[in-house]
Amino acid sequence: MSETAETNKSGLWLGILIGGVIGAAASSLLTPKSGTMLREDLSKTYKSLNEKGSQLSAVVKEKAQDVANSIGKHASELSDKAKEGKQDIADTLHDAKDEIRDKSS
């Protein structure tokens, strides 16, 4: 899957999570309840949000590691290609120098 699609998917889940939090908070605060029941509901909501936040944090950490590993891999490949290209150019120049030297002799 492309990086743009992954970013869009992550953004969608983040939007759903934030919408759920706002909806849960609004329903808890707008429903007529006693103080004890309201505090219990808020406590449950907080625990639920804390757990979801931890899960989201773990997913984001995993995705960040995947991206970092991918970037490192691509950087290593580019470095290897640059070294090969540098060696090819050096060999070509050395061969050209030898040809010029042979022709001038």
Side-chain angles (χ1 to χ4, degrees):
M1 190 176 291
S2 71
E3 302 236 355
T4 304
E6 284 293 324
T7 302
N8 289 342
K9 188 176 179 181
S10 297
L12 173 67
W13 285 111
L14 182 60
I16 290 171
L17 178 67
I18 291 171
V21 168
I22 292 170
S27 70
S28 292
L29 295 174
L30 296 175
T31 304
K33 296 181 181 179
S34 68
T36 304
M37 289 179 69
L38 181 60
R39 285 191 294 275
E40 287 176 8
D41 284 350
L42 289 175
S43 177
K44 287 177 187 176
T45 302
Y46 171 76
K47 288 177 185 175
S48 174
L49 293 177
N50 194 18
E51 182 180 320
K52 288 179 183 179
S54 296
Q55 291 171 353
L56 181 62
S57 175
V59 169
V60 168
K61 180 180 178 183
E62 181 182 334
K63 295 294 181 184
Q65 276 184 321
D66 290 346
V67 168
N69 290 339
S70 177
I71 289 171
K73 178 183 171 189
H74 290 302
S76 177
E77 290 173 0
L78 287 173
S79 175
D80 291 343
K81 286 181 182 181
K83 287 177 184 175
E84 289 173 9
K86 178 183 171 185
Q87 187 60 45
D88 289 345
I89 291 171
D91 292 343
T92 302
L93 289 174
H94 185 7
D95 292 345
K97 183 176 87 174
D98 288 344
E99 284 181 31
I100 292 171
R101 187 179 304 137
D102 289 347
K103 287 182 181 180
S104 64
S105 298

